[in-house]
Amino acid sequence: MSPLPSSLRALALSLALVATAAHADVLRRFALVAGNDEGGGDTRPLQFARDDARKMFELLQRLGGVAPGDAKLLLDEDSRDFLAALTELEGRARAARARGERTALMVYYSGHAKDGSLRLGDSRLAYEDLKRRLADAPVDIRIAILDSCRSGALTRTKGARRAPAFEIESGAARDARGLVILTSSSADEDSQESDALRGSYFSHHLASGLLGDADRSGDGRVTLFEAYSHAYARTVADTAASTAGPQHPTFSYDLAGNGDLVLTDLRASGEGLLVPGAAPAGTYYFVDPGGMVVAELDKTADVERRVALAPGTYRVKRRLPDRLRIGEVEVPRGRAAVLEETRLRDAPFSDDPVKGAARDGGAWWTVGFSGGVQSFLDAPTRDTLFLSVGLLGAEAQLHDYFRRDWVWGVDVAVGGKQAVLALPTLAGPAYRYSVTSLGTTLTAEWPHGSVTPFVGGRLAYLMLRRDFEDEAFPDQKFAMFSPGVVGGVRWKPLPRLYVTGQARLHYLQYTVDEQRSLGYWELGALLTYQP
C-alpha cells in the first residue's frame, strides 16, 4: 500500500487544528450526484458510472445527513440539466442561509472527462466554469468529488485517450468558509474501473470508506480526511499492477475555520454489521444480491469494526492463503447484525463470489429453457385458423457486448395441439396444429439489485402447419417473418441463476386466401444459467 504524500499529512494537521469548531454546528447538507456513461461520439460508453452515482446518492441520504428533498440524482443527463439542478440546490441553500442555517454542498460526478471539460453525453462543462461556479456557490462549505472514468478490458482506462485531469489549485475562494475538490487521479494519469468491483477503484474505495472502512478512530464517524486518505491509499494499491499504472487521487482544500468535516455517521440509522473484536483479522468483502462489491472492511486483530450496510442479504468473503472463508449474512432493518465466524465456511478459490457479472472483457452469456403460450388477437382467426397453443423452447443471450445493459438473444420454441376443423362450410376433419418460432431480440435493461426490467425489439420467423389425419385433405403450412416488441423483468435468486417473465407482441401479414393484418401475443417464463 502506498504511503500518503507529505501534502496529505499537512492536510491532516491543518484539519486537526480546527476540528472542534466543525463539530459545534449542525450543517444543512445539499448534494448533487451525477453519473453519465456516455461521453460523446468520440468515446466508448463506460460500464459503471451510473452505478457509482446511485451508490453515492443512496449513501449520502442514509448516512451523510442529506434530506431527500435536498438531494438530486442525475443519470445520463447533459450539462444543462446538471447546471439547472445545481441552480435549484443553490436557491434552497441561499434560503437556508437567510434563516441563519449553516450549509454545505456536495457535488459528485462520475463519467468522462477530456480536453479540459467534463463530458456529459454530447455536452460539455468546462473545468474553469465548474470551478468558478463552485467558488461562487452561496454555501459555507463546498465539496466537489470528480471521478472521470473510461472502460477498457478488465481494468478500464478512463477517457478516450490520455488527457489532463481536473487541474485544481488551493485557495480558489479565500472569502468562503470552505472549499474542497477531490479528484480520482492526478493531472497526468488515467483513472480506472474494475469489473470485479463493478465500479471505479476510486469511487468504490471512497464509498467503502464512508460505510466504515475509513473509520480508523473508531468513533462511528467518517471524516473528510479519513475518507480521502483511505480512498487514496487503497486506489494506489489496487492500481499499482494495472496496465495503466498506479492512479493517485488528488485534493485541493481550504477549510479555514471549519475543521475536519464529518461526511457520514455510521450510527445514524442504527443499521449495519458489527465484526467483533474476536473475529479473525483480514479484509472482508460484502457482496449484494446483484453481484456488486458494496463495501470492504480491513480488520485488525482484537478490534471491533462496524460497516453501515443497508438492510438486506449479503455474501461475505475473507481470503486466506490457500482458501476462502465465505458465508451469508442478513442485515435487518433498524438494528445492527453481528457477523459470526461460525457462519462462514471454507471454500476453494473457484467459488469466489467477488467476480462481478461482467467478466472476460465485459460480455457474458446465459442459456436456458422457456415455456409460455401464444395466441392471436383476432377471435375468429384464433378459433379457426391459428389456434392458441403452449410453447416450449430454448434461448441464449449475450449480455453487455454491444454496450452495457444491452442484451442480444436468439430463441427457438415449438408448440402444438390436436384440433377439429370447424368452418362455416366444412366441419369434422381432425388435424394436428403445430407452431415453430425462431427469433432474435435486442433489449435494453435497467438493473436494480437482483431485479432487472427490460424492453426491446424482436424479429421472428414463424412457421405454422395443419396436418390432417384424413389423407383426402391436403396439409397446410404458412411461414413469414414477423416483427414485434418484447418487455419483461428478470430476477436473480442465486448468483448464476435467472428467472425471467416476458411478454411479446407481434405483427403478421396473412396473404394466402386474402390479405389480412394480424397480431399475436406471447407470454412466457425463462429460466437461464450463466456458465
Side-chain angles (χ1 to χ4, degrees):
M1 186 171 293
S2 174
L4 298 182
S6 59
S7 57
L8 188 56
R9 293 193 295 270
L11 170 62
L13 178 60
S14 173
L15 295 176
L17 293 175
V18 288
T20 303
H23 298 156
D25 297 328
V26 176
L27 283 174
R28 172 80 174 274
R29 300 171 184 241
F30 301 87
L32 173 57
V33 179
N36 200 317
D37 286 331
E38 303 292 337
D42 58 344
T43 64
R44 293 175 56 193
L46 299 180
Q47 291 280 53
F48 306 115
R50 291 178 300 172
D51 290 341
D52 286 336
R54 291 188 187 101
K55 183 191 298 186
M56 188 63 64
F57 182 74
E58 184 274 336
L59 192 154
L60 290 176
Q61 291 186 87
R62 190 167 61 88
L63 302 173
V66 180
D70 293 337
K72 291 286 184 182
L73 175 63
L74 304 180
L75 298 177
D76 286 345
E77 303 290 349
D78 61 22
S79 60
R80 291 174 298 179
D81 298 315
F82 183 94
L83 293 175
L86 184 56
T87 297
E88 180 180 343
L89 290 177
E90 287 173 342
R92 296 177 64 88
R94 186 178 292 107
R97 291 189 75 186
R99 295 190 296 268
E101 299 180 60
R102 295 185 65 242
T103 56
L105 171 66
M106 177 176 287
V107 176
Y108 170 91
Y109 168 79
S110 181
H112 285 279
K114 182 181 177 183
D115 300 331
S117 298
L118 302 183
R119 304 283 293 268
L120 296 93
D122 292 324
S123 66
R124 310 288 183 267
L125 179 57
Y127 295 148
E128 292 302 320
D129 292 341
L130 178 57
K131 286 193 292 184
R132 189 178 306 110
R133 188 66 177 263
L134 289 172
D136 295 337
V139 292
D140 296 303
I141 298 176
R142 290 143 295 159
I143 301 173
I145 301 174
L146 305 173
D147 191 347
S148 307
C149 49
R150 176 69 187 182
S151 60
L154 290 180
T155 298
R156 295 178 168 87
T157 58
K158 298 182 177 184
R161 57 181 174 79
R162 294 186 66 90
F166 198 114
E167 298 289 348
I168 54 180
E169 307 97 11
S170 296
R174 292 295 179 184
D175 58 336
R177 296 287 301 280
L179 174 61
V180 177
I181 301 176
L182 308 181
T183 71
S184 59
S185 59
S186 63
D188 58 351
E189 294 175 343
D190 290 324
S191 296
Q192 301 165 42
E193 284 185 323
S194 165
D195 279 329
L197 297 176
R198 299 192 69 181
S200 84
Y201 285 104
F202 176 74
S203 285
H204 167 76
H205 288 304
L206 179 64
S208 182
L210 293 174
L211 285 169
D213 200 17
D215 181 27
R216 296 302 178 178
S217 67
D219 64 354
R221 300 184 298 184
V222 179
T223 66
L224 176 62
F225 172 71
E226 286 178 323
Y228 172 76
S229 58
H230 173 84
Y232 176 93
R234 293 304 305 272
T235 299
V236 172
D238 280 5
T239 58
S242 70
T243 56
Q247 173 185 329
H248 300 81
T250 67
F251 67 89
S252 169
Y253 69 96
D254 180 5
L255 283 180
N258 291 284
D260 195 356
L261 179 69
V262 173
L263 294 184
T264 56
D265 187 341
L266 310 183
R267 307 157 301 178
S269 65
E271 301 161 344
L273 184 67
L274 289 176
V275 182
T283 301
Y284 292 74
Y285 296 85
F286 304 95
V287 187
D288 71 7
M292 180 180 292
V293 182
V294 176
E296 302 177 24
L297 192 65
D298 187 15
K299 184 188 178 300
T300 56
D302 302 322
V303 176
E304 181 180 278
R305 297 297 304 276
R306 179 188 183 105
V307 56
L309 297 173
T313 302
Y314 299 88
R315 286 174 291 159
V316 183
K317 162 197 156 180
R318 189 177 75 255
R319 186 182 181 92
L320 301 178
D322 59 344
R323 65 191 188 281
L324 300 175
R325 292 285 289 169
I326 61 175
E328 191 171 273
V329 64
E330 180 77 24
V331 176
R333 186 171 300 277
R335 60 186 180 88
V338 178
L339 179 62
E340 300 174 2
E341 178 66 18
T342 56
R343 302 192 63 175
L344 304 184
R345 61 179 176 84
D346 288 336
F349 291 131
S350 58
D351 289 346
D352 191 345
V354 186
K355 295 178 180 178
R359 306 191 305 275
D360 300 330
W364 50 288
W365 282 96
T366 56
V367 293
F369 299 97
S370 63
V373 61
Q374 180 192 89
S375 183
F376 278 72
L377 300 174
D378 181 65
T381 301
R382 186 170 62 242
D383 295 336
T384 60
L385 188 59
F386 301 136
L387 309 181
S388 298
V389 295
L391 298 174
L392 292 176
E395 186 165 345
Q397 296 178 331
L398 178 60
H399 300 249
D400 299 342
Y401 179 77
F402 299 104
R403 59 170 294 171
R404 191 186 177 211
D405 296 336
W406 281 22
V407 181
W408 174 58
V410 292
D411 61 85
V412 59
V414 296
K417 65 189 301 184
Q418 291 295 127
V420 175
L421 189 64
L423 299 174
T425 58
L426 180 63
Y431 64 93
R432 173 71 182 177
Y433 176 75
S434 61
V435 175
T436 301
S437 174
L438 304 174
T440 181
T441 59
L442 183 63
T443 60
E445 58 184 23
W446 295 268
H448 296 280
S450 61
V451 177
T452 302
F454 61 88
V455 66
R458 182 172 185 263
L459 181 64
Y461 185 68
L462 193 64
M463 295 170 284
L464 309 172
R465 292 183 60 93
R466 282 197 291 195
D467 296 304
F468 289 92
E469 296 179 359
D470 190 338
E471 296 182 356
F473 295 92
D475 296 335
Q476 299 173 327
K477 60 181 180 179
F478 175 78
M480 178 171 279
F481 284 102
S482 174
V485 294
V486 59
V489 177
R490 187 176 72 246
W491 175 49
K492 184 179 181 181
L494 296 173
R496 297 193 180 190
L497 187 68
Y498 301 85
V499 179
T500 301
Q502 61 185 2
R504 299 167 177 163
L505 182 63
H506 274 260
Y507 169 79
L508 184 147
Q509 189 176 55
Y510 181 70
T511 57
V512 179
D513 300 323
E514 58 182 316
Q515 187 168 345
R516 300 173 59 189
S517 292
L518 301 175
Y520 67 91
W521 55 263
E522 294 177 353
L523 290 178
L526 177 66
L527 181 66
T528 53
Y529 175 75
Q530 179 188 343

